[in-house]
Amino acid sequence: MLNKLPKSFHISKRRELLQNTKADLIVLPANGQIQMSLDQSYDFVQESNFYYLTGLNIADLILVMTNSESFLILPEVNHYMEVFDGELDLKEIKNTSGITKLYSHEKGLEKLKELVNKTKQLHTLFAEDEKLKTYGITALPFRSNLIKLLKSFNKKIKLVDIEIQLARMRMIKSDEEIKLISKASKIIKDSINIIKCNRDVVIRIIIFFSIIGWINNIKIRFKNRSNENIINIIGQKHQGKQSKDDTN
């Protein structure tokens, strides 16, 4: 996701959120990376409120805001993650978000712990587990994980949900947002006009790719059936259901 909003936008929104909530301390988590399998992850999608306040499309960050400063806690990174994903571009993070203070995971948590123990009330986004469970949806764990962490720092701290304040802020669009929405609308309109003018070509392309998908699906089915037949033969051999000649 490419950020098209200037860092001044995110700086102003963080300032506005602090004013609207009258909070001394706000802590928000980014979404984390979700694995599909041992060697494959799902495409990363950032938590929308976190993106709104930072413009960053990076997993496992923690945003900390006070009236005197804002800083980011970087994700815990090991050697293997650096090899596969590369190092974080700290300069780009600063230029995009307007946040100049970046702390390593360990040092950042130490600083956060100090802040949590100095205040009686902390503002964050509550976990959506119960709300989504009603619709049979499993909530992402990142909000609840952060709340558990904050509670481990200070069991007596009072947590305040800022979902409503953020929702109200995001309902009212700035000039920068309106320009982007207008640009996106123009792209959609132009795309529809292209399709209308080249309807026959588009239909042929759709049919072509549908046929390719159909053929690939058949190939996969035949391959799976072949694998099943091999497994069945091996199983029969082990069970002694085939004759010695058949086995040879």
Side-chain angles (χ1 to χ4, degrees), residues 35-150:
Q35 287 297 116
M36 184 184 302
S37 61
L38 288 175
D39 60 350
Q40 188 177 5
S41 59
Y42 289 103
D43 291 339
F44 177 69
V45 178
Q46 185 60 280
E47 203 280 327
S48 57
N49 294 295
F50 190 93
Y51 186 82
Y52 181 73
L53 295 170
T54 66
L56 297 171
N57 198 36
I58 300 171
D60 297 312
L61 294 169
I62 298 176
L63 171 63
V64 182
M65 295 185 289
T66 70
N67 289 307
S68 59
E69 65 174 343
S70 291
F71 64 87
L72 287 165
I73 301 175
L74 301 176
E76 192 172 11
V77 180
N78 57 40
H79 172 68
Y80 299 103
M81 295 169 71
E82 287 182 348
V83 170
F84 283 99
D85 301 328
E87 296 182 0
L88 291 174
D89 189 339
L90 303 184
K91 185 178 179 180
E92 182 63 26
I93 291 174
K94 293 177 182 180
N95 290 339
T96 301
S97 65
I99 299 172
T100 57
K101 294 183 179 180
L102 310 177
Y103 293 97
S104 67
H105 192 72
E106 185 178 352
K107 290 183 179 180
L109 291 184
E110 288 177 2
K111 184 172 178 61
L112 177 58
K113 185 176 182 179
E114 291 177 7
L115 292 172
V116 170
N117 284 313
K118 286 180 181 178
T119 185
K120 295 180 180 179
Q121 187 169 273
L122 183 150
H123 292 65
T124 187
L125 284 168
F126 283 8
E128 298 177 316
D129 302 56
E130 294 301 322
K131 186 190 301 182
L132 294 179
K133 191 184 294 183
T134 306
Y135 305 103
I137 302 173
T138 301
L140 293 173
F142 310 112
R143 291 186 186 180
S144 57
N145 288 347
L146 177 66
I147 289 173
K148 288 176 184 177
L149 177 67
L150 297 171

Side-chain angles (χ1 to χ4, degrees), residues 91-219:
K91 185 178 179 180
E92 182 63 26
I93 291 174
K94 293 177 182 180
N95 290 339
T96 301
S97 65
I99 299 172
T100 57
K101 294 183 179 180
L102 310 177
Y103 293 97
S104 67
H105 192 72
E106 185 178 352
K107 290 183 179 180
L109 291 184
E110 288 177 2
K111 184 172 178 61
L112 177 58
K113 185 176 182 179
E114 291 177 7
L115 292 172
V116 170
N117 284 313
K118 286 180 181 178
T119 185
K120 295 180 180 179
Q121 187 169 273
L122 183 150
H123 292 65
T124 187
L125 284 168
F126 283 8
E128 298 177 316
D129 302 56
E130 294 301 322
K131 186 190 301 182
L132 294 179
K133 191 184 294 183
T134 306
Y135 305 103
I137 302 173
T138 301
L140 293 173
F142 310 112
R143 291 186 186 180
S144 57
N145 288 347
L146 177 66
I147 289 173
K148 288 176 184 177
L149 177 67
L150 297 171
K151 286 287 188 181
S152 71
F153 291 159
N154 185 350
K155 294 181 180 179
K156 295 181 180 180
I157 194 165
K158 180 183 177 182
L159 299 179
V160 180
D161 192 5
I162 56 173
E163 183 179 7
I164 293 176
Q165 289 91 337
L166 270 169
R168 285 174 178 168
M169 284 174 57
R170 292 177 61 184
M171 284 173 63
I172 303 172
K173 303 303 180 185
S174 65
D175 291 339
E176 294 98 329
E177 290 175 291
I178 292 171
K179 287 179 182 178
L180 285 177
I181 293 170
S182 299
K183 185 176 180 180
S185 300
K186 185 179 183 306
I187 292 171
I188 294 171
K189 182 181 178 181
D190 291 344
S191 300
I192 292 172
N193 289 333
I194 290 171
I195 292 172
K196 284 181 178 178
C197 295
N198 301 275
R199 183 179 175 184
D200 293 339
V201 176
V202 171
I203 290 173
R204 289 176 186 176
I205 292 172
I206 292 172
I207 292 172
F208 173 74
F209 282 105
S210 297
I211 292 172
I212 289 177
W214 178 69
I215 292 172
N216 287 334
N217 190 31
I218 290 175
K219 286 181 179 179

